[in-house]
Amino acid sequence: MRGAGLYGSRHGTRLNAERAIGGWRTALHEDDTMPEEKVKTPSTMLQAWIRSDAFPRILPFALFIAFVAAGSFLPEPVPVAPGETDARWIYAARALVAGAAVLILWSKFEELRWSPGLRLSEWVLAIGSGLAVWVIWILLDEGWVTFELSSGFDPRRYGSEEIDWPLTVMRLLGLAVVVPVVEELFWRSFLMRWIHEQDFLRIEPAKVGVRALLISSVLFALEHSQWLAGFIAGIVYGWIYLRTGRLWVPIVAHAVTNGMLGVYILVTGDWRFW
């Protein structure tokens, strides 16, 4: 039946013309907006990254590592004569800067919400794991299992065996309080889960695979002079995070390891571990 179809009538022709004009207008409007939506400048990319979930977990660690890198341009952290610049305070200040960043960004860290608190079994697991890593760290300190160890951070006063306690307390707080939070946020909460899936907050720790655990532990090892001890520590801290799903468990374990290491350093005077 010729003329019965849409394209075969005047009404149909007018209707198609109206639809075509409307389609052109829509297409033109989309073409006008596409450049703004698709073009990404360094500025917009930076802003998007700052708003991302990764940023607050990377920034404190990045600030800490920046201070560590800057240390290669500073004098050795050893006692100096009165009146001279004591570079040891700069070494100690890195924990303050990283710690301040964590406090400022605290509301971003849903994994650091304390409620509900750790169960007794989780405390036992955290403390036991921390002590085990501490023993391993002390034993694996020579030979092929380490990179070159520095002379370490000497907390004594110039020309004396007396400990400079204000400096030492700041160093201990950084070692046993700030570093565990900063590193566990970066290495376990962010990087290990991100290796498994880039939308890392969507991943429950228990679902993270062995591949992500191993890769993050290898990278964690490369951060430390005692690389083998660092690798084992990465495996232990990562495993207890996967097992419990609570980031506070590896944080407490890490704090126990570092706190006991600090005590060992002060008792033995073996500054290499610092």
Side-chain angles (χ1 to χ4, degrees):
M1 295 176 59
R2 188 174 58 189
L6 184 60
Y7 289 94
S9 66
R10 292 180 181 178
H11 174 70
T13 302
R14 185 171 65 253
L15 183 59
N16 277 295
E18 290 174 353
R19 287 179 175 175
I21 292 171
W24 293 337
R25 287 175 177 170
T26 301
L28 288 172
H29 178 70
E30 289 176 351
D31 287 342
D32 288 341
T33 58
M34 279 170 55
E36 294 181 4
E37 294 174 352
K38 290 189 174 182
V39 173
K40 293 183 179 180
T41 66
S43 176
T44 57
M45 292 174 65
L46 177 61
Q47 291 174 14
W49 183 65
I50 290 174
R51 291 192 299 267
S52 72
D53 294 320
F55 176 76
R57 292 160 179 82
I58 294 173
L59 181 62
F61 180 76
L63 291 172
F64 186 83
I65 291 299
F67 270 87
V68 172
S72 61
F73 301 100
L74 296 174
E76 288 292 318
V78 296
V80 295
E84 295 184 17
T85 302
D86 193 341
R88 294 177 300 172
W89 284 102
I90 301 176
Y91 283 84
R94 65 190 182 189
L96 287 180
V97 174
V102 169
L103 291 177
I104 292 170
L105 298 167
W106 191 270
S107 63
K108 305 286 187 181
F109 306 130
E110 59 184 42
E111 61 269 56
L112 292 184
R113 293 172 187 163
W114 183 253
S115 180
L118 298 184
R119 299 188 297 270
L120 177 60
S121 61
E122 292 172 334
W123 278 108
V124 171
L125 179 62
I127 293 171
S129 299
L131 290 173
V133 173
W134 168 59
V135 172
I136 290 169
W137 208 275
I138 292 171
L139 294 177
L140 299 179
D141 67 330
E142 292 181 337
W144 64 271
V145 298
T146 71
F147 300 129
E148 184 179 357
L149 294 177
S150 68
S151 57
F153 183 95
D154 189 338
R156 294 172 296 183
R157 297 186 183 277
Y158 180 75
S160 170
E161 292 299 313
E162 182 183 355
I163 298 294
D164 186 335
W165 283 110
L167 182 67
T168 302
V169 168
M170 181 179 288
R171 182 75 173 185
L172 283 173
L173 286 174
L175 182 69
V177 178
V178 177
V179 168
V181 176
V182 169
E183 290 200 333
E184 294 310 310
L185 275 171
F186 176 76
W187 289 110
R188 256 59 69 177
S189 181
F190 165 63
L191 189 65
M192 185 170 68
R193 289 195 289 173
W194 182 85
I195 292 171
H196 184 84
E197 183 172 326
Q198 291 191 11
D199 189 6
F200 65 97
L201 286 184
R202 203 169 58 85
I203 300 300
E204 292 294 327
K207 295 182 179 179
V208 174
V210 174
R211 171 178 165 273
L213 173 62
L214 290 174
I215 292 174
S216 61
S217 298
V218 168
L219 295 174
F220 183 71
L222 296 177
E223 183 199 0
H224 299 86
S225 297
Q226 293 171 252
W227 63 266
L228 183 55
F231 175 73
I232 296 171
I235 291 291
V236 172
Y237 299 151
W239 177 77
I240 60 178
Y241 181 42
L242 302 186
R243 186 175 187 276
T244 64
R246 303 287 304 277
L247 190 65
W248 279 109
V249 177
I251 287 175
V252 171
H254 203 149
V256 169
T257 300
N258 287 9
M260 291 300 297
L261 195 58
V263 172
Y264 177 84
I265 290 167
L266 292 175
V267 170
T268 63
D270 193 346
W271 315 126
R272 298 174 306 146
F273 291 105
W274 223 344

